Amino acid sequence: MGTEYLEVVFNLPLKSCFSYSHPEGEERSASNLVGCRVSAPFGRRNLNGWVVSAGTVLPEGVKEAKPVFKILDQQPLFDQNLLELARWIADFYLCSLGEALSIMLPGGKREKELPPLGLGGVEEQHKRVLLSAEQEDARQKISKSNESFHYLYGITGSGKTEVFLRVAEEVLSQGKTVLFLVPEISLTHQMVDDLSGRFDKKPAVLHSHLTPSQKLTEWRRIQSGDAVLVLGARSAVFAPLKNLGLIILDEEHETSYKSGSTPRYHGRQVAMKRCRSSGAKLLMGSATPSVESWSMMEQGVFQRHQLKERPAGGALPDIRIIDLKKSGSLLSQDLIQAMERVLKEGKQVILFLNRRGHSYYFHCRSCGFEMKCRQCSIPLTFHKNRNRMICHYCGFHEKPLTLCPECGSMDVGYAGFGTEQVEEQVAAVFPDAVMARLDTDSARKKGVLQDTISRFRDGGIDILLGTQMVAKGLNFPGVKLVGIVLADTGLSLPDFRAAERSFSLIVQVAGRAGRYRNDGEVLVQTMRPDNPAIVYGCEGRIEEFYQFELNQRKEMNFPPFSRLIRIVYRGKQGKKVLDALEDLSDLFRKAGLPDVMGPAECPLGIIAGNYRYHTLIRCEEDFSGIHKITASCLSRTDVPRGMYREIDIDPVQLL
């Protein structure tokens, strides 16, 4: 038998495969190594890569091939189906095959047991409940339909999860497998309990808080067929399930389904691709669908199934708008009085604020100087418990100032506010209440997230203060009052989706109140009580909001009436970055792209000392043609040394 060769790809932005010879002493044939990781010489380095094909002939132009050092896997990590999916990701999101495989596959060397993942302790969560007439109607229509894409649109608390689980039960009973995606890792803990109590086999769990070795353990369980139900956040969409029958995508509107690094894939788009390839159904759900999905439902691309009632009783909460301009303090008198009343009744309060840290920014009252990050264009956030001004983008930090460095004035202070400052004020007003804060800073410590959610659910905490972690899908029977401390934090962002995000946040956070009772209350504090997103969100005029927002988007010709491709260049020398992107933008125009906007400075113009500029390509029709021209221009352009290029197909934010 002649020499066997392996084609290997690496996690590098290089489109080519690299040829290596079969290592001596390896008993498996080259074709049996496709899907395995290898350690191989690459220039002066030694890199790990993936074998994507094998043969007995070297590709044209390749004279010789070095042997790989070592085969790292006993069994392949991926099969032809997942390899095809990786090729599609590389083509669609304009990255290399190696970059696509690197985000799909686990990186662990050896398997390691997982810690217990649920919250534990509450049995009634697992009980099957009797479906309401509208839930049963939705379940039957989804199960009997031959259509691939379904959307369960229903108010918060309308029992979407129960419908998901019933459809999943049916699919599993047919011998097929199910993938259940949630947007936040905090939701997987609650769902593990729900699923473990309902299904015989323990679900496999995949998310970024697992170590690489734990991820490998779950991956192998799924590959072996031991796990037929997989639960996880965005990256679980790549789970190696055989005979896939259903993908559930809960809280579809969440932007966390979109990856923030290369390749910038969207979980919904990958799920749609997997369903088309495997013949599985995709079942999405939300109380506030993304504007794109709403448009798809209107066009009949997604089959809409609507839930209008709360089967557990609980009426929709009473929502009031509080004008903060009339309040001298962060906690308005209305909010303080409502909290007093609810706590006296022995019920619980959630306070929501989408801002970490203590005070938003430092400024001089004499000359207006603002303390910004030296490496970014972002104001620093004051973290009182660490006595540090911190940049939330690059991590730069320094001591707070007592004198203005510009004019020497001592009249300096902090404007804006964050979760730490709200925590202080609440503690001062309610010294006897047990309070916990849940944000990215506090949840960093191991076990804090699970512990806080469990204690709050069991009534051990009176007031839960948090950022978006508390807004998504978590159910707490004891909650009577939800206060949104400042509803406008997202509205001032220079992004065409700002209104949509603020609207869905209000509706979702409000949905945490009165889940199991008829007297839930929501107080929405805002500086802009007349803003349409806030008014529609608070008044529950959901369909009117979508109509309003679609009209706005149509006028501006933004998605869903067009599609966008965003190219960002970043580097230490601003002028060179801008010049390089100018050249690329000119190339796009010469190649015949009809609508090229920019280059312009990104709204966040400097991050970590890198100047950022972007160009947008807008496309109203023939997206595949425009995508092809864009890909061709990019492949002919080298990124100058010391610069980075980000390619974002269908971006969800433009900051």
Side-chain angles (χ1 to χ4, degrees):
M1 192 173 157
T3 310
E4 290 188 296
Y5 297 104
L6 306 173
E7 293 296 304
V8 177
V9 294
F10 300 96
N11 181 16
L12 297 167
L14 304 168
K15 292 288 167 100
S16 28
C17 295
F18 298 88
S19 304
Y20 293 89
S21 60
H22 193 267
E24 281 181 28
E26 173 57 57
E27 291 171 10
R28 289 172 286 178
S29 70
S31 60
N32 286 334
L33 297 176
V34 174
C36 291
R37 289 172 293 182
V38 294
S39 171
F42 189 85
R44 293 180 181 174
R45 294 182 287 173
N46 178 17
L47 295 179
N48 291 350
W50 298 271
V51 181
V52 293
S53 66
T56 53
V57 183
L58 279 172
E60 212 175 306
V62 179
K63 301 272 191 301
E64 58 165 345
K66 293 178 181 174
V68 297
F69 291 136
K70 195 178 177 190
I71 310 293
L72 300 175
D73 294 306
Q74 289 302 308
Q75 295 130 6
L77 276 177
F78 57 88
D79 60 9
Q80 280 305 317
N81 289 338
L82 276 185
L83 182 56
E84 282 311 306
L85 183 63
R87 290 191 199 282
W88 176 82
I89 282 169
D91 289 344
F92 184 72
Y93 294 106
L94 303 179
C95 66
S96 71
L97 181 56
E99 287 173 316
L101 286 168
S102 78
I103 49 129
M104 293 171 66
L105 303 170
K109 296 281 188 294
R110 56 185 65 83
E111 296 179 39
K112 190 179 176 201
E113 278 308 299
L114 272 72
L117 289 165
L119 300 168
V122 178
E123 287 308 311
E124 52 278 12
Q125 294 243 327
H126 318 325
K127 286 181 186 161
R128 288 171 62 113
V129 294
L130 200 61
L131 292 185
S132 69
E134 63 173 9
Q135 283 175 310
E136 178 58 28
D137 184 50
R139 184 198 68 76
Q140 285 193 22
K141 283 180 175 158
I142 294 162
S143 296
K144 288 176 181 168
S145 168
N146 294 322
E147 297 288 341
S148 300
F149 304 139
H150 296 266
Y151 207 110
L152 193 57
Y153 160 58
I155 59 170
T156 52
S158 59
K160 291 184 285 293
T161 305
E162 190 59 38
V163 177
F164 289 156
L165 296 181
R166 291 297 176 89
V167 176
E169 277 174 4
E170 204 168 323
V171 170
L172 291 169
S173 72
Q174 295 160 4
K176 293 180 178 173
T177 58
V178 173
L179 177 53
F180 198 133
L181 299 174
V182 291
E184 279 280 332
I185 291 164
S186 59
L187 288 179
T188 57
H189 298 306
Q190 185 166 305
M191 283 307 304
V192 165
D193 286 344
D194 287 359
L195 298 176
S196 302
R198 288 290 279 271
F199 299 105
D200 301 337
K201 283 190 174 175
K202 199 172 106 191
V205 177
L206 290 175
H207 57 61
S208 58
H209 276 200
L210 299 180
T211 66
S213 298
Q214 290 170 338
K215 220 172 194 173
L216 183 62
T217 307
E218 293 295 80
W219 191 268
R220 293 298 191 199
R221 266 188 69 212
I222 301 162
Q223 275 187 316
S224 70
D226 177 42
V228 291
L229 174 63
V230 176
L231 169 70
R234 181 180 63 227
S235 61
V237 75
F238 304 116
L241 285 162
K242 308 254 188 331
N243 199 14
L244 184 62
L246 175 69
I247 299 180
I248 295 165
L249 196 114
D250 196 9
E251 309 290 2
E252 170 278 329
H253 65 280
E254 282 294 345
T255 50
S256 46
Y257 281 121
K258 174 81 169 174
S259 168
S261 54
T262 304
R264 289 172 163 73
Y265 70 94
H266 197 300
R268 182 185 63 225
Q269 288 176 326
V270 177
M272 287 170 77
K273 172 67 182 168
R274 282 198 80 171
C275 288
R276 280 196 196 103
S277 306
S278 63
K281 279 180 185 165
L282 173 60
L283 175 52
M284 297 162 276
S286 174
T288 54
S290 64
V291 172
E292 280 86 340
S293 289
W294 186 272
S295 175
M296 296 274 218
M297 286 190 262
E298 299 280 285
Q299 294 165 37
V301 179
F302 296 166
Q303 306 303 306
R304 183 197 318 231
H305 309 276
Q306 195 164 350
L307 301 179
K308 297 176 179 174
E309 299 154 11
R310 282 184 154 181
L316 281 171
D318 172 38
I319 304 183
R320 278 192 293 148
I321 297 177
I322 309 294
D323 187 351
L324 261 193
K325 294 196 293 293
K326 296 175 183 166
S327 166
S329 152
L330 197 56
L331 298 178
S332 64
Q333 277 309 112
D334 296 81
L335 183 56
I336 289 170
Q337 285 163 8
M339 288 173 72
E340 270 173 355
R341 194 178 66 249
V342 167
L343 292 171
K344 264 188 192 139
E345 292 171 19
K347 299 290 184 276
Q348 292 169 301
V349 177
I350 291 179
L351 290 183
F352 176 85
L353 175 69
N354 219 3
R355 166 87 58 218
R356 285 154 51 206
H358 187 274
S359 291
Y360 180 23
Y361 63 90
F362 169 99
H363 71 139
C364 170
R365 295 187 186 101
S366 301
C367 73
F369 168 79
E370 203 176 328
M371 194 172 176
K372 290 189 175 179
C373 173
R374 282 183 205 164
Q375 311 183 66
C376 301
S377 48
I378 320 290
L380 295 175
T381 302
F382 180 45
H383 283 251
K384 190 172 185 183
N385 61 352
R386 291 154 72 180
N387 194 33
R388 275 277 179 272
M389 300 294 294
I390 297 175
C391 173
H392 283 172
Y393 283 85
C394 75
F396 170 80
H397 55 88
E398 58 181 311
K399 276 188 174 165
L401 301 176
T402 48
L403 281 178
C404 172
E406 290 285 305
C407 71
S409 167
M410 293 176 74
D411 189 12
V412 294
Y414 299 92
F417 44 83
T419 41
E420 287 179 30
Q421 191 173 348
V422 175
E423 185 178 27
E424 267 180 27
Q425 289 201 12
V426 173
V429 181
F430 300 101
D432 300 332
V434 181
M435 180 168 51
R437 176 164 58 88
L438 201 54
D439 56 22
T440 324
D441 297 318
S442 63
R444 275 203 187 102
K445 298 183 194 79
K446 215 173 180 171
V448 165
L449 180 64
Q450 269 162 289
D451 178 57
T452 307
I453 291 172
S454 294
R455 278 172 53 221
F456 189 62
R457 200 178 63 192
D458 298 340
I461 295 168
D462 302 315
I463 302 168
L464 180 63
L465 169 66
T467 54
Q468 57 200 23
M469 284 184 157
V470 303
K472 298 170 185 176
L474 295 167
N475 299 334
F476 304 110
V479 173
K480 182 173 174 184
L481 173 68
V482 173
I484 300 180
V485 179
L486 184 64
D488 358 19
T489 35
L491 279 173
S492 35
L493 293 175
D495 191 338
F496 72 92
R497 284 195 174 85
E500 175 186 352
R501 286 201 194 109
S502 300
F503 165 80
S504 88
L505 204 56
I506 289 169
V507 176
Q508 292 288 340
V509 176
R512 305 304 117 221
R515 276 273 163 123
Y516 301 88
R517 49 165 40 86
N518 289 328
D519 55 358
E521 289 177 69
V522 180
L523 295 187
V524 179
Q525 300 192 142
T526 173
M527 297 285 194
R528 310 179 193 188
D530 303 325
N531 184 282
I534 289 174
V535 173
Y536 285 132
C538 291
E539 293 180 1
R541 291 155 61 190
I542 312 259
E543 307 203 2
E544 285 175 66
F545 169 76
Y546 285 106
Q547 216 34 67
F548 167 79
E549 187 60 17
L550 283 166
N551 290 340
Q552 300 283 102
R553 302 272 185 98
K554 192 169 191 176
E555 228 166 87
M556 300 188 297
N557 198 15
F558 271 126
F561 299 98
S562 63
R563 289 180 75 175
L564 299 175
I565 298 174
R566 182 187 192 217
I567 314 290
V568 177
Y569 270 35
R570 57 187 165 90
K572 300 287 182 196
Q573 294 173 293
K575 170 107 177 59
K576 285 186 176 173
V577 174
L578 181 56
D579 289 347
L581 190 52
E582 284 271 17
D583 293 344
L584 178 63
S585 304
D586 288 344
L587 184 63
F588 287 148
R589 291 184 182 101
K590 282 175 190 151
L593 291 181
D595 194 353
V596 180
M597 298 182 278
E601 189 180 6
C602 295
L604 300 177
I606 312 173
I607 293 182
N610 283 297
Y611 291 84
R612 304 171 71 244
Y613 289 88
H614 63 171
T615 286
L616 288 175
I617 298 163
R618 183 156 47 187
C619 162
E620 288 176 62
E621 47 198 34
D622 186 26
F623 181 71
S624 62
I626 284 184
H627 184 280
K628 207 174 265 177
I629 296 170
T630 305
S632 159
C633 292
L634 290 169
S635 67
R636 300 203 305 272
T637 317
D638 288 328
V639 183
R641 278 188 73 134
M643 278 182 220
Y644 299 91
R645 176 162 73 196
E646 299 168 13
I647 302 165
D648 198 349
I649 309 290
D650 298 318
V652 300
Q653 52 93 355
L654 302 175
L655 296 179

